[in-house]
Amino acid sequence: MNILLLGSGGREHAFAKALSNSPGCDQLYISPGNAGTAQCGINVGLDLNDFEAVGQFCLENHIELVVPGNEDPLVAGISDALEDFAAERGIHLGVAGPDKWASQLEGSKQFAKEFMMKYGVPTAAYQNFNADNLAESDAFLESLTPPYVLKADGLAAGKGVIITHDLLEAKATLKDMILGARFGAASANVVVEEFLQGIEISVFVVSDGIDWHILDSAKDYKRIGEGDTGPNTGGMGAISPVPFADESFMHKVKERIVIPSLEGLRAEGHPYRGFLFLGLMNDHGDPKVIEYNVRMGDPETEAIFPRLKTDMVELLNGVAHGNISQVPFSIDPRTAATVFLVSQGYPGSIQKGFEMSLPVGIEADQYLYHAGTALDGDRVLTNGGRVLAVTSLADTLPEALQASYNLVDAIRFEGKAYRRDIGQDLLI
Ligand code: AMP
Ligand code: GLY
């Protein structure tokens, strides 16, 4: 079948590789894509906010499956829109992503918290504030133990969470978010919540609305600096699985979080189709939800997909049409280590357009995923802050890390930067 994949990051290159390797994939289109996805299919420049235009493209190019990589089109309702488009024209078109209602799990922090309360999913205690009840916020903040966690309700490009130890600053920041529109309309509502202690971990689920699988755990490294210092980034590396996410922990995740969440969505009349990303805190062995995302993570996908031993076209078509139970599914028990190469200066200002030298042949258990790259004829140029993700699979975490860092050494471009301590905190 012909498939349209939406997005342009390392995650989308991982999707593109897995989809194009499947015998079920005839023509893969990627919009907008990058230099890596161009090796897997045809990059096309669609306006992803114009669902009618995306539908027309699908019609003209006989697309039967649309795979949204990132959250924006999902939260804006692309699944519902394309389903309506297909029904009106009597064409066969499935979307491997949740509907607009379920996508509010990521699109609105307040919605997600209310959903978790309703279905008994463990999460931090919270209260929601807006211009109408702002007067009560000082008292609520005073009742919390620092640090204070303030979350803009809407999408804010991953920047909408502010954590501060200072009570006065928390009070002032909350007012600025709401009255000063610090994150525009996204912070007209703000969730203020209890700070959870512990180590963060991500768990991924794939569901077709009826059946589901857990894709295992991963840990990403968000800060630019070694030892988790400096500003947040889009992700500097990832490890999968996470050693402390043992059978007992994953059992709790399944019983306390995955099942009530998916059953809750079904009870609301919105059975979940797609990938559900659980951002969790391991609170002394008990998982609590920090956030839901309605898509795969980046760079977690680059670590998890090499472990996924399933046909991606069959899986995603199954997601769109409610039949993943027919698709053989298994996860490689080995460990994946992903290291991101970024441009000097990232996440601040960077220069792009540097020619890259990439190794020609790489080992069977190694993967090179493009993120911020572009093609100029035959040359591959840097084209963003996060440039390339390097993943290796091995029996142990130290071996996987060693293999990835060896490959990192073999890649050259001006301003190449990366963290040398990915996974070190997990080597106990
Ligand atoms: P989010 O955008 O919800 O993922 O939040 C961004 C980051 O803030 C998370 O990845 C956590 O590191 C941190 N964070 C969010 N909520 C909490 C919380 N309640 N307790 C501790 N850390 C949190
Ligand atoms: N790695 C975090 C995210 O994809 O949101």
Side-chain angles (χ1 to χ4, degrees):
M1 72 176 69
N2 293 349
I3 300 169
L4 172 63
L5 168 66
L6 310 181
S8 64
R11 168 183 51 209
E12 284 73 26
H13 189 197
F15 269 97
K17 264 194 182 167
L19 287 166
S20 63
N21 280 339
S22 161
C25 181
D26 292 318
Q27 184 61 62
L28 175 66
Y29 296 92
I30 311 97
S31 182
N34 60 35
T37 64
Q39 297 164 3
C40 310
I42 301 174
N43 288 346
V44 289
L46 299 173
D47 177 356
L48 301 184
N49 297 312
D50 183 347
F51 298 151
E52 187 70 21
V54 176
Q56 277 301 334
F57 179 86
C58 293
L59 186 64
E60 284 156 22
N61 294 282
H62 310 289
I63 306 281
E64 287 183 58
L65 178 65
V66 175
V67 181
N70 67 325
E71 65 276 15
D72 288 337
L74 290 166
V75 171
I78 196 167
S79 296
D80 314 61
L82 291 183
E83 215 162 75
D84 291 349
F85 182 93
E88 279 162 23
R89 286 157 184 85
I91 58 170
H92 183 77
L93 176 62
V95 182
D99 66 17
K100 187 172 182 174
W101 192 92
S103 297
Q104 293 177 90
L105 286 177
E106 178 163 1
S108 164
K109 304 272 187 205
Q110 186 185 349
F111 176 92
K113 295 298 279 192
E114 284 167 4
F115 177 86
M116 287 188 263
M117 290 294 143
K118 183 165 178 187
Y119 291 100
V121 175
T123 188
Y126 80 105
Q127 206 162 310
N128 189 64
F129 291 100
N130 54 41
D132 295 333
N133 68 350
L134 191 56
E136 297 153 34
S137 65
D138 282 1
F140 183 67
L141 281 165
E142 284 159 20
S143 75
L144 296 174
T145 312
Y148 307 93
V149 182
L150 314 178
K151 298 184 168 184
D153 177 56
L155 292 181
K159 297 189 167 45
V161 176
I162 293 178
I163 300 180
T164 171
H165 283 263
D166 187 290
L167 180 61
L168 288 178
E169 191 183 320
K171 289 178 179 177
T173 303
L174 180 61
K175 291 181 181 90
D176 184 42
M177 288 172 86
I178 295 172
L179 302 178
R182 181 181 297 201
F183 299 103
S187 63
N189 281 293
V190 176
V191 167
V192 177
E193 70 178 28
E194 167 200 12
F195 183 83
L196 298 173
Q197 306 279 351
I199 305 179
E200 280 183 72
I201 172 172
S202 307
V203 172
F204 297 87
V205 180
V206 61
S207 167
D208 65 0
I210 306 153
D211 296 294
W212 50 271
H213 300 289
I214 291 183
L215 298 178
D216 216 340
S217 59
K219 181 178 194 290
D220 74 339
Y221 292 80
K222 294 186 205 296
R223 304 293 191 103
I224 186 71
E226 284 161 17
D228 282 328
T229 52
N232 263 331
T233 70
M236 297 296 291
I239 297 298
S240 174
V242 181
F244 69 75
D246 55 14
E247 214 170 294
S248 140
F249 183 83
M250 292 302 278
H251 184 75
K252 290 180 195 169
V253 172
K254 180 171 121 182
E255 296 296 323
R256 299 178 189 176
I257 296 170
V258 176
I259 293 176
S261 298
L262 293 177
E263 284 185 352
L265 286 156
R266 214 174 2 253
E268 297 284 348
H270 296 273
Y272 195 88
R273 290 178 323 193
F275 292 99
L276 184 61
F277 169 152
L278 307 168
L280 307 176
M281 190 66 88
N282 176 5
D283 181 5
H284 303 94
D286 288 324
K288 292 193 175 160
V289 175
I290 294 181
E291 62 168 347
Y292 289 110
N293 293 314
V294 296
R295 50 170 174 85
M296 283 299 291
D298 194 341
E300 293 94 329
T301 306
E302 294 92 306
I304 288 185
F305 274 16
R307 300 184 54 218
L308 199 52
K309 301 253 160 281
T310 188
D311 182 296
M312 194 59 81
V313 171
E314 284 184 21
L315 181 70
L316 294 185
N317 199 41
V319 164
H321 298 292
N323 56 9
I324 60 171
S325 63
Q326 316 285 318
V327 184
F329 182 90
S330 74
I331 302 270
D332 190 323
R334 290 179 298 164
T335 293
T338 301
V339 178
F340 235 104
L341 300 185
V342 303
S343 298
Q344 191 68 49
Y346 176 75
S349 65
I350 55 136
Q351 279 184 290
K352 41 191 181 181
F354 295 117
E355 184 166 358
M356 304 177 62
S357 156
L358 300 173
V360 204
I362 58 174
E363 305 282 327
D365 285 329
Q366 296 202 296
Y367 302 80
L368 257 187
Y369 295 121
H370 290 239
T373 63
L375 281 178
D376 175 27
D378 286 345
R379 303 189 312 152
V380 181
L381 306 180
T382 63
N383 191 40
R386 287 163 81 235
V387 178
L388 266 187
V390 171
T391 298
S392 305
L393 266 181
D395 288 333
T396 66
L397 179 55
E399 288 169 304
L401 287 167
Q402 185 64 54
S404 282
Y405 281 112
N406 287 346
L407 189 50
V408 163
D409 287 340
I411 296 165
R412 280 189 291 279
F413 60 89
E414 196 172 322
K416 177 179 98 172
Y418 58 95
R419 271 180 65 167
R420 291 166 174 77
D421 67 340
I422 300 303
Q424 291 301 317
D425 54 325
L426 302 173
L427 293 174
I428 315 142

